[in-house]
């Protein structure tokens, strides 16, 4: 083994390949100025031992390169040592060393935090100066300058929102004009939401200014279109009920529609129903819709009839069941409306469920008693036959009563006619005058006939009264007004084939509301694919 000993003036541990020599190991000597390196020949030398002669030129060349390397290495390591020493000096000098000026010097986190707090204080002072209470804005990302905040407030003013509106929902001040407000308003404008309704829209649902057009708004609009709401009706739906833009598609909206279809509401009616009363989309089935439907069923209205009522008057679902509907039913019973007639009363006038009955009923009862001398029981019979009497204005009622008295009826006869057919207080007076003139001159009947059947005034003069009177006059028949008018055209034609008039049919009374008209079958896909026993999992 050939050994070489090289002396270096540096403290390091490195090995070098020198020509064909291979570094196998190196050990540090006790003297730090010496580095002892043990070199060994390549392994293949021992396989084929042979004499190797070294010539003087090669040794000389090697010595020259060695000397050159030894001269360069101290310089290199000296430079590195100087740099290292400089770094250590900077590190350990601490505060003793002055800070060097640099373009890349940044403020500390504490300085940034203090500056941010100072900016927020200035913004709060500005908001308080214009009447806005910023207490709820803590933790909300706000503009760093008063100028940007003033821009937001001015923009909201241009939309019609007042300081009071902003105080009602101060979080709107966290919306960027360019990033939040303008994209949302542009989208609503493209849908067709009118500028005249925009202020009220934002007052009712200011959260829309936080929404993402792509993530939040567009999917809801697509869902509404999938409910057969026509594109032209979408903006009207949003204007009526802007809160719908905040609902989850698979939440309340889908379950309310599914339940309505389940009780018999025709699928083809859903689009029109939601267009007229989109608030249904926000009603929970278990808390609002189902209890309402079941209560009407308890009163005696069949479920399918309830579905038909909802199709025609969807807003009745908005009448509070506990707050309004149940108290109104109790008020009707208190004013002598018979329980058995409640289904007919509701079916004729569903609005009666939402009227403030405590204020209306006593006033109307007293008024009717003052003009026709009706009793408490009479008032109950009037409501049963025409529940709209509760909302009827006093002036038209007085005119109709005066007309009947001018026709020659006594006060008692007027009372009897009104109780028998309250509609005589609400019909077109000009048409009533023409019908009475025909009754008096052509039919030449006594007034008692009208007292017995005041519903005569509810039939069309040209379409029903005249043609039927001519037929019985040609046959020379004598009959009551009820037998003549209170039947369908088909039934009347059958009666014209009779040789004699059945006395039982002579006693037919005035027409009344028929609940079966709400139960007629439909020729559409109204059959339900949903279980009537709807789950209560949406009560949460």
């Amino acid at each position: 083994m050939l050994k070489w000993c090289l002396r270096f003036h540096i403290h390091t541990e490195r090995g070098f390949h020198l020509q064909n020599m291979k570094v196998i190991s190196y050990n540090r000597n006790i003297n730090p100025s010496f580095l002892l390196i043990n070199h060994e020949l390549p392994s293949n030398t021992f396989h084929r031992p042979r004499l190797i002669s070294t010539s003087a030129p090669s040794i000389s060349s090697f010595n020259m390169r060695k000397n050159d390397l030894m001269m360069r290495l101290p310089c290199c390591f000296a430079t590195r040592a100087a740099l290292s020493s400089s770094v250590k000096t900077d590190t350990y000098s601490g505060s003793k060393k002055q800070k060097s000026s640099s373009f890349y010097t940044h403020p500390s986190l504490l300085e940034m935090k203090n500056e941010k707090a100072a900016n927020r204080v200035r913004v709060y002072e500005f908001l308080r100066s214009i009447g806005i209470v910023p207490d709820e804005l803590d933790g909300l990302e706000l503009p760093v300058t008063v100028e940007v905040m003033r821009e937001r407030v001015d923009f909201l003013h241009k939309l019609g929102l007042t300081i009071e509106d902003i105080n009602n929902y101060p979080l709107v001040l966290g919306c960027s004009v360019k990033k939040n407000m303008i994209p949302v308003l542009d989208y609503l404008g493209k849908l067709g939401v009118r500028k005249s309704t925009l202020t009220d829209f934002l007052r009712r649902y200011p959260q829309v200014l936080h929404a993402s057009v792509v993530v939040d708004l567009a999917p809801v609009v697509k869902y509404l279109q999938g409910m057969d709401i026509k594109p032209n009706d979408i903006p009207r739906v949003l204007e009526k009920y802007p809160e719908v833009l905040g609902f989850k598609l698979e939440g309340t909206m889908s379950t309310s529609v599914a339940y309505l279809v389940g009780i018999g509401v025709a699928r083809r009616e859903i689009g029109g129903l939601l267009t007229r009363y989109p608030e249904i989309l926000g009603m929970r089935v278990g808390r609002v819709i189902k209890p309402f439907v079941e209560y009407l069923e308890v009163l005696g209205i069949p479920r399918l009839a309830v579905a038909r009522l909802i199709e025609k008057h969807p807003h009745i679902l908005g009448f509070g069941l506990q707050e309004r509907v149940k108290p109104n039913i109790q008020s009707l019973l208190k004013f002598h409306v018979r329980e058995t007639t409640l289904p007919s009363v509701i079916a004729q006038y569903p609005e009666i469920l939402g009227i403030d009955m405590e204020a209306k009923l006593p006033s109307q009862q007293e008024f009717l008693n003052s003009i026709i001398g009706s009793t408490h029981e009479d008032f109950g019979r009037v409501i049963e036959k025409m529940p709209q009497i509760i909302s009827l204005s006093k002036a038209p009622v007085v005119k109709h009563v005066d007309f009947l008295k001018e026709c020659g009826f006594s006060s008692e006869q007027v009372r009897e006619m009104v109780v028998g057919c309250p509609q005589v207080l609400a019909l077109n007076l000009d048409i009533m005058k023409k019908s009475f003139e025909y009754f008096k001159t052509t039919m030449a009947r006594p007034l008692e006939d009208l007292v017995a059947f005041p519903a005569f005034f509810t039939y069309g003069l040209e379409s029903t009264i005249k043609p039927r009177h001519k037929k019985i006059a040609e046959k020379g028949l004598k009959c009551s007004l009820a037998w003549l008018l209170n039947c369908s055209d088909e039934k009347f034609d059958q009666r014209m084939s009779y040789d004699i008039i059945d006395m039982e049919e002579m006693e037919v009374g005035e027409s009344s509301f028929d609940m079966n008209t709400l139960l007629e079958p439909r020729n559409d896909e109204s059959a339900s694919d949903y279980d009537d026993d709807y789950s209560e999992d949406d009560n949460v």
Side-chain angles (χ1 to χ4, degrees), residues 437-458:
E437 185 64 25
Y438 183 80
F439 173 84
K440 183 179 179 180
T441 58
T442 304
M443 300 178 74
R445 286 175 174 264
L447 292 179
E448 287 74 12
D449 286 358
L450 286 178
V451 175
F453 190 72
F456 167 84
F457 290 105
T458 65

Side-chain angles (χ1 to χ4, degrees), residues 318-328 353-356 358:
F319 299 152
L321 180 60
Q322 302 296 334
E323 302 82 4
R324 182 68 70 191
V325 176
K326 289 184 177 181
N328 280 357
L353 296 174
I355 297 174
D356 185 3
E358 291 186 3

Side-chain angles (χ1 to χ4, degrees), residues 29 39 73 126 143 197 227 279 300 341 388 398 402 493 511 521 537:
N29 199 338
H39 295 275
L73 287 175
F126 163 72
T197 65
M227 290 287 101
E279 288 84 352
T341 64
Q388 294 85 348
V398 172
D402 291 343
D493 290 338
S511 60
D537 55 0

Side-chain angles (χ1 to χ4, degrees), residues 195-211:
K195 290 183 178 180
S196 60
T197 65
L198 192 57
T199 301
D200 183 63
F201 187 105
L202 295 176
R203 283 196 181 111
R204 291 183 56 183
Y205 189 60
Q207 295 90 334
V208 71
L209 295 176
H210 292 285

Side-chain angles (χ1 to χ4, degrees), residues 91-375:
T91 303
Y92 293 104
S93 61
S95 59
K96 294 181 180 180
K97 183 177 172 143
Q98 295 182 354
K99 295 181 179 179
S100 61
S101 61
S102 172
F103 290 108
Y104 299 100
T105 301
H106 295 287
S108 66
L109 292 177
L110 179 60
E111 292 173 339
M112 294 175 63
K113 183 177 181 180
N114 292 338
E115 180 64 21
K116 187 175 181 180
N119 289 335
R120 180 173 286 267
V121 170
R122 287 190 286 270
V123 170
Y124 276 17
E125 290 176 352
F126 163 72
L127 293 176
R128 290 190 182 97
S129 68
I130 62 176
I132 296 176
V133 181
D135 296 347
E136 298 183 25
L137 301 180
D138 293 341
L140 184 68
E141 190 69 26
L142 294 178
V144 295
T145 65
V146 173
E147 288 72 19
V148 177
M149 179 57 76
R150 182 181 286 109
E151 177 187 359
R152 291 189 184 181
V153 174
D154 292 342
F155 189 81
L156 293 172
H157 284 332
K158 291 179 182 178
L159 296 176
L161 298 181
T162 63
I163 296 297
E164 183 181 357
D165 296 329
I166 297 175
N167 279 328
N168 289 335
Y169 188 72
L171 297 182
V172 73
L173 295 174
C175 297
S176 169
V177 173
K178 295 181 180 179
K179 295 180 180 179
N180 300 110
M181 300 185 191
I182 291 179
V184 168
L185 296 174
D186 286 345
Y187 180 72
L188 294 176
K190 290 177 182 179
L191 289 176
V193 175
R194 296 167 293 181
K195 290 183 178 180
S196 60
T197 65
L198 192 57
T199 301
D200 183 63
F201 187 105
L202 295 176
R203 283 196 181 111
R204 291 183 56 183
Y205 189 60
Q207 295 90 334
V208 71
L209 295 176
H210 292 285
S212 164
V213 171
V214 176
V215 177
D216 302 318
L217 306 184
V220 174
V221 171
K222 185 177 180 181
Y223 179 85
L224 295 177
Q225 292 174 341
M227 290 287 101
D228 294 331
I229 298 178
K230 299 177 182 178
N232 293 338
D233 292 330
I234 292 292
R236 305 293 88 82
V237 169
L238 298 181
E239 290 171 358
K240 291 179 182 178
Y241 193 51
E243 293 87 347
V244 73
L245 291 172
F247 295 147
K248 294 181 180 179
L249 302 184
E250 300 303 325
T252 304
M253 290 198 294
S254 61
T255 55
S256 59
V257 171
Y259 180 79
L260 291 177
V261 174
I263 66 172
V265 174
R267 286 187 177 88
R268 70 179 185 182
E269 299 291 335
I270 291 294
L273 182 148
L274 295 178
T275 300
R276 297 194 306 276
Y277 194 66
E279 288 84 352
I280 289 176
L281 292 170
M283 294 180 178
R284 293 189 177 275
V285 173
R287 293 181 181 177
V288 180
I289 304 179
K290 187 176 181 181
F292 181 88
V293 172
E294 291 178 346
Y295 180 70
L296 295 187
E297 286 185 285
V298 170
L299 293 178
I301 305 177
R303 174 169 288 201
L304 186 57
V306 175
R308 297 291 182 266
L309 288 176
I310 294 174
E311 287 178 4
K312 297 178 180 179
H313 312 278
H315 60 278
I316 64 177
L317 290 172
F319 299 152
L321 180 60
Q322 302 296 334
E323 302 82 4
R324 182 68 70 191
V325 176
K326 289 184 177 181
N328 280 357
I329 295 300
Q330 295 302 315
S331 295
L332 289 173
L333 295 173
K334 180 180 177 181
F335 279 82
H336 304 284
V337 174
R338 292 169 295 184
E339 187 174 354
T340 55
T341 64
L342 287 175
S344 174
V345 170
I346 296 171
Q348 289 181 77
Y349 189 48
E351 303 292 340
I352 203 170
L353 296 174
I355 297 174
D356 185 3
M357 303 290 282
E358 291 186 3
K360 285 280 187 180
L361 287 175
S363 174
Q364 288 296 83
Q365 184 186 53
E366 183 179 355
F367 167 68
L368 200 62
N369 179 55
S370 66
I371 62 171
I372 65 171
S374 61
T375 65

